Amino acid sequence: MKMERRSGMDIHSKRWFPYLDRFKCGSESLNSREVIEAVAPVLMEERKERLKRVVRNRSYSVCLVVEGLCDFGNVSATFRSADALGLQSVHVVSCDSSKRYRENRHVSMGAEKWLDIELWNSPKECFKVLKSRGYRIATTHVGMDAVSIYDMDWSRPTAIVVGNENRGISDEALELSDLHCSIPMKGMVDSFNVSVAAGIVMHHAVCDRTMHLGCHGDLNEDESQILLAEFLLRHNNSSISIANEYAKRKAHMLLIPRL
């Protein structure tokens, strides 16, 4: 993450957006418009248009939490689905410090590069922060009290939580969540593979939001510009250098006396 991040929820906003309109370049700083002005010219038009299209379809209103997954390939597979469906924020809760998440680009196809990934040590730590950002916590769980994903209101900011491949959601996460949700099963088996389940829930959330709200992407103009600047800075290793050089030229111009 390149643009500066907020430390907490903006009291003037009804939903979470993590970035400030500022990129630090040593002692100097650039706003998103300046970052775009500096970096965009080195990209091909086709690439720039694709980044803009992706930003238009991005949302923080639905995020993904993977809890205690042992197979990093499964984590990467869920990230690939999140990116493809327009979710920007994903979280990894690792209950074993020896099994911290490591990306698997062969599975994710590089989706991690474009997602905001946050790592947590426990469900309590993760859920506390997510609730402070306005999310309700929906754990995927097969139980009598589970609500069908087809009966949920996905216009509300929601964190979708999927659990361990074998044990499912931990007791701690179930207790701390706001609701339990499930995918209605029509066959003899009673569960999906975790990455498949995550993909189904996220896809339904996006479809439901599109049907009721007109679209899934819901960033306003300023947020879209900031996220585009963030993507440009992530684009390749030279983007940061280009922005830093722009900041130096900007600082030098400010020192030149005007006639």
Side-chain angles (χ1 to χ4, degrees), residues 158-211:
T158 303
I160 300 166
V161 186
V162 296
N164 181 271
E165 294 91 342
N166 300 312
R167 300 185 304 274
I169 300 287
S170 69
D171 291 340
E172 179 185 11
L174 288 173
E175 183 177 345
L176 292 172
S177 61
D178 297 306
L179 76 156
H180 306 156
C181 64
S182 66
I183 304 167
M185 306 296 294
K186 307 300 183 182
M188 295 297 291
V189 297
D190 60 5
S191 65
F192 288 100
N193 168 278
V194 63
S195 62
V196 173
I200 290 173
V201 178
M202 288 187 290
H203 182 265
H204 174 69
V206 171
C207 289
D208 186 85
R209 287 171 53 78
T210 301
M211 181 172 65

Side-chain angles (χ1 to χ4, degrees), residues 61-224:
S61 295
V62 179
C63 71
L64 174 69
V65 181
V66 293
E67 186 218 5
L69 296 189
C70 297
D71 186 336
F72 295 138
N74 278 334
V75 181
S76 293
T78 64
F79 285 2
R80 182 175 176 178
S81 296
D83 172 68
L85 291 167
L87 278 68
Q88 183 62 28
S89 176
V90 296
H91 304 259
V92 180
V93 179
S94 176
C95 300
D96 184 342
S97 60
S98 68
K99 294 182 178 179
R100 298 292 284 182
Y101 169 67
R102 297 189 302 274
E103 66 183 38
N104 185 332
R105 287 183 173 266
H106 177 70
V107 176
S108 70
M109 301 300 289
E112 293 96 339
K113 178 177 181 177
W114 307 107
L115 297 171
D116 295 354
I117 302 173
E118 297 183 67
L119 306 179
W120 308 93
N121 292 315
S122 69
K124 182 178 181 180
E125 177 188 25
C126 177
F127 292 3
K128 179 180 179 181
V129 172
L130 288 176
K131 288 183 179 183
S132 74
R133 295 175 182 174
Y135 290 98
R136 62 173 176 175
I137 311 298
T139 48
T140 53
H141 176 64
V142 180
M144 295 298 294
D145 62 342
V147 178
S148 168
I149 62 170
Y150 304 121
D151 295 329
M152 291 175 59
D153 176 8
W154 290 102
S155 65
R156 294 181 56 186
T158 303
I160 300 166
V161 186
V162 296
N164 181 271
E165 294 91 342
N166 300 312
R167 300 185 304 274
I169 300 287
S170 69
D171 291 340
E172 179 185 11
L174 288 173
E175 183 177 345
L176 292 172
S177 61
D178 297 306
L179 76 156
H180 306 156
C181 64
S182 66
I183 304 167
M185 306 296 294
K186 307 300 183 182
M188 295 297 291
V189 297
D190 60 5
S191 65
F192 288 100
N193 168 278
V194 63
S195 62
V196 173
I200 290 173
V201 178
M202 288 187 290
H203 182 265
H204 174 69
V206 171
C207 289
D208 186 85
R209 287 171 53 78
T210 301
M211 181 172 65
H212 290 96
L213 303 176
C215 63
H216 168 64
D218 59 2
L219 302 183
N220 62 36
E221 186 175 345
D222 291 339
E223 292 167 345
S224 296

Side-chain angles (χ1 to χ4, degrees), residues 5-18:
R5 286 179 63 87
R6 300 183 187 279
S7 58
M9 186 73 168
D10 185 344
I11 59 174
H12 300 296
S13 176
K14 294 182 179 179
R15 57 185 174 78
W16 170 251
F17 182 76

